[in-house]
Amino acid sequence: MRRNTRAGLRGVGLLAATGALCAAVVLPAGASEPGETTWQPELTGSGTGIVVEDGGARFDRSTAFGAPADEGDTEAAADPVDVVPTGLLPLEPRSLDAPTRAVESTLAADTPPGSSATIDVRGRKAGGGWTEWIPAENDRAELPEAVREVQGRLVLTATGDAAPVVHEVTLSATPTAGTESEPMTEAAPRSYSVFATREGLVGGTTANGHKIVERDRFVALPSRRALSGKGKTDYSVKVCAPNGRCAIAPVWDIGPWNTKDDYWNPPHERQMWKDLPQGVPQAAAARNGHNGGKDQFGRKVANPAGIDLGDGIFWDVLGLKDNSQVQVDYLWTGSQRLSAVRTEGAPEAQILARPEAGAESVGIAVNATDVPVQCTHGEFVRIGDGQYLPTSAFGELPADLPGCEAGDTAGAAPADAGASPGDTATAPVGTAPDDATTAPGDPATAPGDSAAAGGPGTAPGDTTTPGDPATAPANEARTGGTAGDEPAGTATGTGSGTGAGPTGSGAPASDTPAGTVPDGDSQSATIPGSAQRAPSGTR
């Protein structure tokens, strides 16, 4: 039976629970409130867990990914939260005549009991990048700043045999007082030191529909707010290992552990876990007793991971042999100039230590990612301290990009291999209580199984592949003194937000057997009837 429903998790959940039907008028274009812009984006293309056919967007269980049920107080739930197959379908962006900060949504949909249909919304910032995706609450999405271009993303969930179908989407943008936000003075993106684990899961499918290949180059963060579309790089990070090597890579998956933990945002903006300091992943805090040591699914957290790294990033680019503390810049959160890497037939561009041909490589930037550009030095562009890309690696550079000042071309030397990427002595700190005697990653070290390690690719400038079974066999014993020994629950970096986290008596003991490294294979759950996994940590 077809019905009109306002997009809203609570309303849809109530209908699903009671089987009741409730009609709400879909406003035709031209019948909106004075000053509003109302439109109906066409349902076209394809998404993860959603197919479009016969003019409607239908839930596709075979390609859906896992997310928790949205009804109820999941933070205080005593029982584990169910994993619900979820689908995403980006809609066409819409330019507006007047700036807006609020978008309302109405869906004409069939949502049988056990299913839901909602909308996420984002806006294009004055600097050209996108805000994060904001889930609509009570039919309305409030954007963090005024924008003149918005985009919706359809979200379908279903349990059992439920098969929701959306026939029509109506969006209405309310003009905001004032003008579109002007580009701010350049500011660095938020940056935090977090614990990283290896994704693994070769042959599986990520939350944006990407099929994972051996030695893949992407990352996962525990919130769909910063999930790039399939093949897109709207949301990218720069992740640097303690040895000074860095990778700029897109966010193509959701996890580890949680799916609503945008920990890089201030507490009042954070979708969940608003009681935690900015920069502290909930998994890290859980290791110190937060939420009873459990994640949002009600599972005991075995490691404090705040980011998953594709195998190619983990082994080949960063040269990691064990899960480790890393420094992560969340590039979309800053207001620096960004330019897209455009390589000709190559999957990535080599980041060089000096502005000269033949300089040693200190990392890579994945093709099409937007990287911060600071200044030019001849035929090179500085993208960070001691980090350069040739101008030929960019499709286009800002016309007003300045030249590097004299004496400012070499930048700082890469981080000492024995130091944590973040400088806790000088960087702002947001901390949850630590356990000085327990390493956040628990005893465990092997980078993965030999089957996953047998793929192509080598670390630049190193004849030994970090993940090669010959040099780093599975179940290799962990060595002391690594960055992974930094206390769990500590956020260091240049992002704002400080303060003490939840109290606790130290990190709970891990269920992970000694001599193994948790990765996506051991931290994921298979959704019945689906080829895809739930978020890392779900098994």
Side-chain angles (χ1 to χ4, degrees):
M1 179 181 296
R2 176 173 175 169
R3 65 181 173 84
N4 292 334
T5 177
R6 295 291 288 183
L9 298 177
R10 295 178 183 174
V12 171
L14 179 62
L15 288 171
T18 63
L21 298 180
C22 177
V25 176
V26 177
L27 296 175
S32 56
E33 295 295 325
E36 282 188 340
T37 300
T38 299
W39 70 101
Q40 294 175 336
E42 187 176 359
L43 299 175
T44 59
S46 62
T48 304
I50 298 179
V51 295
V52 178
E53 56 186 14
D54 300 327
R58 176 179 59 81
F59 181 76
D60 179 17
R61 186 174 304 278
S62 66
T63 60
F65 68 95
D70 281 291
E71 292 79 36
D73 184 359
T74 55
E75 292 186 41
D79 298 323
V81 178
D82 290 334
V83 175
V84 178
T86 301
L88 303 173
L89 178 67
L91 306 175
E92 285 298 315
R94 169 82 177 201
S95 297
L96 305 173
D97 294 331
T100 186
R101 292 192 62 172
V103 178
E104 295 190 353
S105 53
T106 304
L107 306 182
D110 299 325
T111 52
S115 67
S116 70
T118 60
I119 287 287
D120 293 342
V121 178
R122 67 177 180 175
R124 190 177 293 279
K125 299 183 288 187
W130 290 98
T131 69
E132 292 178 7
W133 290 103
I134 306 299
E137 295 184 2
N138 298 322
D139 318 329
R140 185 180 177 93
E142 297 281 353
L143 297 172
E145 61 184 81
V147 299
R148 285 184 177 268
E149 183 179 357
V150 298
Q151 183 179 19
R153 180 171 67 181
L154 186 62
V155 182
L156 299 182
T157 71
T159 58
D161 295 328
V165 179
V166 173
H167 304 277
E168 191 173 77
V169 175
T170 301
L171 300 177
S172 297
T174 304
T176 187
T179 60
E180 180 184 13
S181 301
E182 294 294 329
M184 298 184 298
T185 302
E186 286 198 18
R190 295 166 184 165
S191 182
Y192 294 102
S193 176
V194 299
F195 195 70
T197 50
R198 182 176 66 84
E199 172 115 350
L201 302 170
V202 173
T205 307
T206 67
N208 75 350
H210 168 73
K211 187 175 180 62
I212 301 175
V213 299
E214 291 186 349
R215 271 12 204 225
D216 220 335
R217 283 150 158 75
F218 69 91
V219 307
L221 292 176
S223 170
R224 77 170 189 241
R225 288 187 169 188
L227 179 67
S228 298
K230 184 177 181 181
K232 304 292 185 181
T233 58
D234 300 332
Y235 305 100
S236 299
V237 300
K238 180 165 79 170
V239 54
C240 296
N243 60 15
R245 293 190 60 80
C246 299
I248 298 175
V251 182
W252 281 355
D253 207 0
I254 303 174
W257 297 109
N258 293 294
T259 64
K260 296 183 178 180
D261 188 20
D262 48 325
Y263 59 82
W264 51 89
N265 285 326
H268 69 278
E269 294 181 8
R270 201 162 171 164
Q271 186 176 8
M272 197 170 177
W273 317 117
K274 296 178 183 293
D275 58 322
L276 292 177
Q278 184 176 7
V280 176
Q282 191 275 334
R287 295 287 295 156
N288 292 295
H290 180 264
N291 196 42
K294 300 177 180 179
D295 67 359
Q296 74 185 76
F297 295 89
R299 302 161 305 162
K300 184 177 180 180
V301 172
N303 63 54
I307 188 171
D308 270 344
L309 307 178
D311 291 359
I313 298 294
F314 189 98
W315 284 328
D316 304 329
V317 181
L318 300 186
L320 296 176
K321 296 184 179 181
D322 186 13
N323 296 333
S324 172
Q325 205 78 11
V326 295
Q327 191 74 23
V328 181
D329 294 355
Y330 308 85
L331 296 178
W332 66 92
T333 66
S335 56
Q336 291 179 307
R337 297 176 178 88
L338 297 176
S339 291
V341 172
R342 292 286 185 264
T343 59
E344 293 295 335
E348 63 211 24
Q350 295 293 323
I351 300 174
L352 304 178
R354 297 180 304 280
E356 57 188 57
E360 63 269 26
S361 170
V362 292
I364 61 99
V366 173
N367 187 35
T369 52
D370 288 332
V371 304
V373 290
Q374 299 176 352
C375 59
T376 60
H377 179 74
E379 296 301 313
F380 295 86
V381 177
R382 194 178 76 196
I383 65 171
D385 291 341
Q387 297 175 343
Y388 297 85
L389 285 173
T391 55
S392 59
F394 298 94
E396 184 177 358
L397 289 169
D400 59 347
L401 186 64
C404 299
E405 296 180 3
D408 191 31
T409 58
D416 188 295
S420 173
D423 184 354
T424 56
T426 59
V429 179
T431 60
D434 59 0
D435 181 353
T437 62
T438 304
D442 300 321
T445 63
D449 56 49
S450 58
T458 57
D462 188 346
T463 57
T464 303
T465 302
D468 194 289
T471 59
N475 303 326
E476 179 183 10
R478 183 186 184 120
T479 57
T482 66
D485 292 327
E486 183 168 326
T490 300
T492 63
T494 58
S496 60
T498 61
T503 59
S505 58
S510 172
D511 290 331
T512 305
T516 60
V517 170
D519 64 4
D521 294 303
S522 61
Q523 301 180 78
S524 64
T526 302
I527 303 168
S530 172
Q532 294 193 271
R533 67 178 183 89
S536 296
T538 314
R539 180 174 297 164

